[in-house]
Amino acid sequence: MAKKYLIETYGCQMNIHDSERMAGLLEQAGYESTADDMDADVIVINTCSVREKAEEKLFTRLGEIQHRGIKSGSRPVVAVTGCVAQQEGSRILQRSSAVDVVIGTQNIKRLPMLVDDAVQHHSTTSRRGAVLELDPLEDVSFPLGIAKRHDPHKAFVTIIEGCNEFCAFCVVPYTRGKERMRGAAEIVGDAENAVADGAKEIQLLGQIVNHYKAPDDPSCDFAALLERLDAIEGLQRIRFASPHPRHVTPRMIDSMRRLPKVCRHLHLPVQSGSTSTLRAMRRRHTRAEYLELVARLREAMPDIALSTDIIVGFPGETPADFEETLSLAEAVRYHSMFSFKYSPRPNTLALKRMFDDVSEEEKTRRIVELQALQKRIQGELFAASIGRVEPVLIDSRSRRREWELSGRTSGNTVVNLSGDPVWIGQVLPVRITEANPNSLRGEAVTAFMKAEI
Ligand code: 5AD
Ligand code: SF4
């Protein structure tokens, strides 16, 4: 009987896609998926360490698995992958005897072999091991058609792995290594494959997507890559995350403006509105440069929706610096915002050289104030869209009510509507009728036309 696997995923879209790749690799090796951890012969825990105390979450989960082994006499083979695996390495094996193998972020292609080995030698502890090399020249190609994509309508497509920016707060350059670009021909092939399998939208992934330069074609930068992807027949939408403000070029803005499939949305992390905090963060853009970029984007695409990431309470952030973050948010008027309280991360410059001097209470006060401001602005933007007809990609249905569907506008706002589940996977014109704090409500315009035909 085939062995069963379960992958538990924490963290960002990159991790979700790594899990899709690992699932595909395990199935190719003869494993079958299960959703029940009691039924799994192999559990892969794909971890994240970008914020909070992710390590502790991992060890809590490992404790549960260990406890299950103690009670029943057998525990599954456990592999730990992702950023905590890379960061903590064999310390994970020392701390928990529930783990058989620790696999670094650049070694997932070896997962089936390592898991097979662990399955065979499960009862002997001598074969437990960690595979962690971070190779600056690692080949980031990945065989087409293997990843087991979890969403039939939206496909993640990796274009870059790793990051060379070394922002002072960020662990990613240490956990995912140096920036490596995937070949343009392979990216287009991956996207075509996903579209042939039914995807209507692709989402390009990379730490700094707009730093893309094709290793197999010197003329292909990010703007040219968008152009090539836009030409794929059957594809309806292209999104990407995340660009870095300092790498947004006039060519990129022009491609976004011209290409009909590129969504009118840009996630443009700013992190802070204060130039001195940005300097301390090693972001290499100022408040004025960011605001000027926003103005150029809006000039080219007046209807573009912007979203961002903001950190409050970075070392040395004064109340006046935080006021500048508030005033930047007020000036830009983001459609959505992810805000975080600063937390020191291993290996980073901020941990090594700066003092985490903003108290937890003050961080909380600042994030509450920022989120209240964002809620007001978002409410105003959402209310202003009532009455408009927007193209919406219908992507899912409610778990509770069959005729309750959900989708996203080109600007990436969630729209809920009543409709026929056969619409899922289609882009339909939807009239916005109601604004809620985090989503819109609407009615499909074509539904009536269809009924009349
Ligand atoms: N503390 C708080 N937030 C962080 N982020 C990254 N590192 C940290 C940290 N040490 C946030 C940034 C980034 C997002 C993915 O997570 O805003 O853009
Ligand atoms: Fe981290 Fe900065 Fe690289 Fe983004 S650009 S992954 S925040 S180091």
Side-chain angles (χ1 to χ4, degrees):
M1 214 174 65
K3 297 261 185 219
K4 296 203 174 125
Y5 76 91
L6 172 67
I7 304 182
E8 299 176 6
T9 310
Y10 299 90
C12 65
Q13 290 154 329
M14 193 73 92
N15 259 18
I16 296 174
H17 189 45
D18 279 347
S19 291
E20 293 177 342
R21 287 175 160 187
M22 291 193 284
L25 289 168
L26 287 173
E27 296 199 3
Q28 200 186 32
Y31 291 82
E32 275 174 15
S33 83
T34 174
D36 176 2
D37 66 349
M38 296 305 283
D39 191 33
D41 302 290
V42 174
I43 296 182
V44 179
I45 308 181
N46 192 9
T47 59
C48 166
S49 66
V50 78
R51 286 178 300 271
E52 78 261 343
K53 304 255 177 288
E55 299 85 358
E56 292 317 310
K57 244 193 244 168
L58 169 67
F59 287 106
T60 308
R61 180 68 183 121
L62 290 173
E64 284 166 18
I65 295 172
Q66 176 81 348
H67 188 65
R68 161 185 150 187
I70 291 166
K71 273 206 315 208
S72 68
S74 83
R75 66 160 180 85
V77 161
V78 174
V80 178
T81 62
C83 289
V84 181
Q86 189 67 48
Q87 184 185 296
E88 298 299 310
S90 44
R91 284 197 291 270
I92 296 173
L93 295 170
Q94 285 155 17
R95 224 178 118 177
S96 169
S97 55
V99 181
D100 298 271
V101 58
V102 177
I103 304 176
T105 52
Q106 291 183 13
N107 306 99
I108 63 172
K109 281 184 244 176
R110 289 159 75 179
L111 174 81
M113 188 195 81
L114 294 165
V115 164
D116 269 349
D117 199 46
V119 167
Q120 273 169 36
H121 301 95
H122 194 31
S123 47
T124 61
T125 50
S126 59
R127 297 294 290 253
R128 297 164 77 229
V131 181
L132 300 161
E133 311 87 56
L134 276 183
D135 174 2
L137 300 176
E138 185 225 13
D139 167 19
V140 290
S141 65
F142 193 84
L144 299 184
I146 299 287
K148 194 183 164 208
R149 293 192 156 101
H150 76 285
D151 187 325
H153 312 294
K154 298 183 191 173
F156 292 133
V157 175
T158 301
I159 68 168
I160 304 184
E161 296 194 20
C163 181
N164 293 349
E165 289 285 323
F166 290 92
C167 298
F169 51 81
C170 185
V171 77
V172 166
Y174 307 93
T175 57
R176 290 204 168 255
K178 288 255 176 299
E179 183 176 72
R180 286 106 52 218
M181 315 276 177
R182 195 174 178 204
E186 192 185 308
I187 292 169
V188 174
D190 198 2
E192 283 172 344
N193 234 296
V195 172
D197 283 347
K200 297 290 185 304
E201 176 177 308
I202 54 165
Q203 182 156 0
L204 306 177
L205 299 181
Q207 305 306 333
I208 305 191
V209 276
N210 55 336
H211 203 217
Y212 184 76
K213 296 262 174 330
D216 51 343
D217 178 352
S219 71
C220 183
D221 61 359
F222 183 63
L225 182 69
L226 289 178
E227 191 119 14
R228 291 192 193 185
L229 293 166
D230 195 79
I232 295 176
E233 214 166 303
L235 178 64
Q236 305 222 23
R237 284 184 166 184
I238 302 170
R239 295 188 191 279
F240 48 85
S242 288
H244 192 296
R246 80 188 191 98
H247 296 296
V248 176
T249 61
R251 272 175 58 74
M252 170 180 159
I253 298 177
D254 191 53
S255 284
M256 287 188 72
R257 183 185 59 77
R258 272 187 305 108
L259 300 172
K261 295 178 187 170
V262 177
C263 288
R264 281 286 197 260
H265 169 233
L266 196 62
H267 184 68
L268 198 61
V270 67
Q271 311 298 357
S272 166
S274 149
T275 295
S276 69
T277 307
L278 288 168
R279 196 175 306 125
M281 287 175 162
R282 304 290 194 275
R283 285 291 288 176
R284 291 183 277 181
H285 60 81
T286 63
R287 171 193 175 94
E289 284 161 354
Y290 185 92
L291 288 173
E292 191 262 331
L293 173 59
V294 167
R296 279 193 287 128
L297 285 162
R298 292 233 163 97
E299 197 186 328
M301 295 166 279
D303 56 343
I304 195 167
L306 298 174
S307 58
T308 202
D309 291 344
I310 290 183
I311 297 176
V312 301
F314 186 74
E317 186 188 70
T318 62
D321 291 320
F322 175 63
E323 286 300 318
E324 292 210 64
T325 294
L326 292 174
S327 70
L328 180 129
E330 185 85 70
V332 176
R333 295 177 67 78
Y334 294 105
H335 269 72
S336 77
M337 178 191 288
F338 299 92
S339 46
F340 311 102
K341 294 194 261 187
Y342 168 73
S343 62
R345 306 310 297 138
N347 301 313
T348 58
L349 192 76
L351 174 79
K352 287 198 233 157
R353 303 249 192 91
M354 300 174 197
F355 182 51
D356 184 12
D357 57 353
V358 181
S359 69
E360 192 54 31
E361 299 77 60
E362 181 58 15
K363 285 178 187 165
T364 304
R365 194 195 67 70
R366 291 182 192 178
I367 204 164
V368 167
E369 192 174 349
L370 180 61
Q371 288 176 349
L373 170 68
Q374 176 57 22
K375 192 171 165 199
R376 171 174 66 70
I377 293 171
Q378 207 166 303
E380 289 165 5
L381 291 171
F382 284 10
S385 65
I386 293 175
R388 274 190 220 145
V389 176
E390 302 250 11
V392 172
L393 172 58
I394 314 287
D395 55 26
S396 55
R397 74 192 211 195
S398 151
R399 250 175 263 143
R400 278 162 292 154
R401 283 194 291 148
E402 195 183 348
W403 288 76
E404 185 63 16
L405 308 177
S406 186
R408 280 181 191 259
T409 63
S410 178
N412 209 30
T413 303
V414 172
V415 181
N416 298 310
L417 68 162
S418 301
D420 190 329
V422 298
W423 297 351
I424 295 173
Q426 296 180 39
V427 178
L428 296 177
V430 173
R431 176 166 294 109
I432 308 302
T433 54
E434 202 181 307
N436 296 310
N438 294 311
S439 63
L440 299 171
R441 204 170 166 84
E443 47 197 32
V445 177
T446 47
F448 307 106
M449 283 158 40
K450 275 189 179 157
E452 281 159 21
I453 291 168

